[in-house]
Amino acid sequence: MTLVDSTASTVGGPGLPQERRLVTEIPGPRSREIHARKQSAVANGVGITLPVYITAAGGGVVVDVDGNSLIDLGSGIAVTTVGNAAPEVAAAVTAQVNAFTHTCFTITGYEGYVEVAEALNRLTPGDHAKRSALFNSGAEAVENAIKVARSYTGKQAVVAFDHAYHGRTNLTMALTAKSMPYKSGFGPFAPEVYRAPLSYPLRDGGLSGAEAAKIAITQIEKQIGAANLAAIIIEPIQGEGGFIVPAEGFLPALVAWAKANDVVFIADEVQSGFGRTGAMFASEHEGIVPDLVVTAKGIAGGLPLSAITGRAEIMDAPHAGGLGGTYTGNPIACAAALAAIELYERGDLLQRAREIEQAIRAKLTGADPRIAEVRGRGAMMAIELVDAATGEPDAALTGKVAAAAHAAGVVLLTCGTYGNVVRFLPPLAISDALLDEALDVVVDAIAAN
Ligand SMILES: *Cc1c(COP(=O)(O)O)cnc(C)c1O
């Protein structure tokens, strides 16, 4: 029997002491012990960024088996936006798990699934008639969005963009841009997927949104042709690709072209959705109304759930039985989503995301000449680190900054095609004091490297 340290809490939520507390080196001895077992029990391909093993989390902290309390700037990749083990989510899950755990919605239904669909139809951009369908993971939802678009248009080709990330299944690997670690060695990939250039203001010479869209559209027309194109899929703010915010006007121009050419415009809001950017959906910042919206990550406070929501006529195109899956729209995940969505709808979390943006901008803008840009929206912010003399991406520095932050007790994630982006995805439940302390750790880590 393993003895549990009395300092290692097993009850999470906002009641956990909101402090950075290091009682061992990171990772500590118990985490190292479990990690050694992980190495011999879990497939090597399943990596761990920061191999501490967690017993409780809540507010802005995660607590590990050694009793260390780390500041969370990752939210499990933008998932625990409402806070980890949020009491409302925990209560909804507990009630549902005691009522029933599964029926398979496509065998016998339950109201929770329908309620989540109604909420998504109400909350996603646009006031047209909508339908939703629920799945388990972001990648699975993206795959289904493509299925729906092909079914509706009777066309096959799909356009994704440079730096895109849409998942790790076969079709979504094809849509994802970056080879290592997501695609390398895992081909062949799904056919009829094409890539177009993105608006990337820091690195495309400062093209306007309209100019960048014209380049992308010309390439699409010349290399694929609208007559063959079922869908364009794009993240309104790119996630894994580097938190790239396209220049103003880029997304509206793509939406207008898609509309004029019978092409389904799919917004992948898996990372940017549900309050993360200070709006319910990042599309709202650009004033666009996508035909289909893909959601996941923040939707259910940590329970696995994803969805596609879109125009009724598009969503209703596939025949009955064409969409689904054993676990899709699991009742426990639906209960969690309804609790989380109620929290988002109160509005104060969206305001909190905007405050977090201000705090991050204030702390990091001009903090070091190697910070080429502070960008993003709300609590989806990033810095791009470069060689100050040449402007070249500095992945080595980025790695050192992340390692130093980890050693100091801050869960910090990196991203970007060039591996030189530090991203900030704190839970919206983080306190000002903890956020400030974590950002100081990051600034110090940059200065020391
Ligand atoms: C994470 C992510 C996905 C994939 O979601 P999974 O749940 O990991 O399959 C798809 N698109 C975007 C934008 C993401 O950030």
Side-chain angles (χ1 to χ4, degrees), residues 71-107:
I71 304 177
D72 182 12
L73 292 186
S75 300
I77 317 186
V79 169
T80 54
T81 308
V82 295
N84 216 314
E88 297 85 348
V89 172
V93 165
T94 304
Q96 180 59 47
V97 85
N98 286 321
F100 64 98
T101 50
H102 176 82
T103 67
C104 188
F105 186 76
T106 59
I107 304 295

Side-chain angles (χ1 to χ4, degrees), residues 77 136-142 165-169 172 176 235 237-240 268-272 294 296-297 305-306 380 423:
I77 317 186
N136 300 290
S137 69
E140 190 184 7
V142 168
Y165 182 85
H166 298 291
R168 296 168 177 269
T169 58
T172 58
T176 290
E235 301 149 82
I237 296 177
Q238 276 195 338
E240 308 304 298
D268 181 345
E269 293 244 22
V270 167
Q271 190 155 165
S272 59
V294 186
K297 292 195 166 92
L305 187 72
S306 63
M380 184 173 183
R423 55 173 152 173

Side-chain angles (χ1 to χ4, degrees), residues 38-131:
K38 181 266 181 192
Q39 303 291 51
S40 59
V42 180
N44 179 57
V46 182
I48 294 191
T49 300
L50 170 51
V52 296
Y53 287 77
I54 301 305
T55 56
V61 300
V62 296
V63 176
D64 74 14
V65 285
D66 292 287
N68 299 297
S69 174
L70 293 82
I71 304 177
D72 182 12
L73 292 186
S75 300
I77 317 186
V79 169
T80 54
T81 308
V82 295
N84 216 314
E88 297 85 348
V89 172
V93 165
T94 304
Q96 180 59 47
V97 85
N98 286 321
F100 64 98
T101 50
H102 176 82
T103 67
C104 188
F105 186 76
T106 59
I107 304 295
T108 54
Y110 37 89
E111 191 174 4
Y113 186 117
V114 178
E115 276 184 274
V116 172
E118 287 168 345
L120 287 164
N121 296 348
R122 182 174 76 249
L123 293 172
T124 49
D127 50 15
H128 46 276
K130 294 176 202 156
R131 304 277 188 273

Side-chain angles (χ1 to χ4, degrees), residues 258-331:
K259 193 181 179 72
N261 288 279
D262 186 29
V263 171
V264 176
F265 183 93
I266 305 170
D268 181 345
E269 293 244 22
V270 167
Q271 190 155 165
S272 59
F274 283 107
R276 193 34 71 183
T277 67
M280 195 66 87
F281 296 98
S283 292
E284 295 168 31
H285 298 292
E286 313 290 337
I288 59 168
V289 176
D291 296 315
L292 300 183
V293 179
V294 186
T295 52
K297 292 195 166 92
I299 191 173
L303 277 284
L305 187 72
S306 63
I308 58 177
T309 302
R311 297 184 188 283
E313 66 275 19
I314 299 175
M315 286 293 295
D316 280 341
H319 48 273
L323 306 178
T326 306
Y327 295 110
T328 52
N330 170 271

Side-chain angles (χ1 to χ4, degrees), residues 192-401:
E192 286 304 309
V193 172
Y194 301 85
R195 199 163 303 288
L198 181 78
S199 165
Y200 189 168
L202 181 69
R203 298 197 173 274
D204 67 8
L207 293 174
S208 71
E211 289 163 342
K214 187 159 182 257
I215 292 169
I217 289 167
T218 303
Q219 183 168 319
I220 292 168
E221 286 178 335
K222 297 303 168 203
Q223 297 186 6
I224 307 154
N228 303 301
L229 186 59
I232 287 176
I233 181 164
I234 190 164
E235 301 149 82
I237 296 177
Q238 276 195 338
E240 308 304 298
F243 282 32
I244 302 162
V245 184
E248 195 184 333
F250 181 74
L251 292 171
L254 293 179
V255 170
W257 181 85
K259 193 181 179 72
N261 288 279
D262 186 29
V263 171
V264 176
F265 183 93
I266 305 170
D268 181 345
E269 293 244 22
V270 167
Q271 190 155 165
S272 59
F274 283 107
R276 193 34 71 183
T277 67
M280 195 66 87
F281 296 98
S283 292
E284 295 168 31
H285 298 292
E286 313 290 337
I288 59 168
V289 176
D291 296 315
L292 300 183
V293 179
V294 186
T295 52
K297 292 195 166 92
I299 191 173
L303 277 284
L305 187 72
S306 63
I308 58 177
T309 302
R311 297 184 188 283
E313 66 275 19
I314 299 175
M315 286 293 295
D316 280 341
H319 48 273
L323 306 178
T326 306
Y327 295 110
T328 52
N330 170 271
I332 303 165
C334 286
L338 292 170
I341 288 169
E342 199 179 315
L343 293 174
Y344 292 122
E345 283 204 272
R346 286 186 200 162
D348 47 339
L349 284 176
L350 308 193
Q351 174 58 26
R352 183 67 191 138
R354 296 189 285 268
E355 288 165 11
I356 288 170
E357 171 176 349
Q358 293 318 315
I360 291 172
R361 285 192 184 280
K363 183 74 76 175
L364 293 167
T365 304
D368 191 286
R370 291 165 297 172
I371 299 176
E373 192 173 45
V374 182
R375 63 173 178 247
R377 292 187 199 274
M380 184 173 183
M381 298 294 294
I383 53 174
E384 184 159 341
L385 296 175
V386 300
D387 181 308
T390 64
E392 286 298 306
D394 196 340
L397 171 62
T398 307
K400 285 183 203 159
V401 168

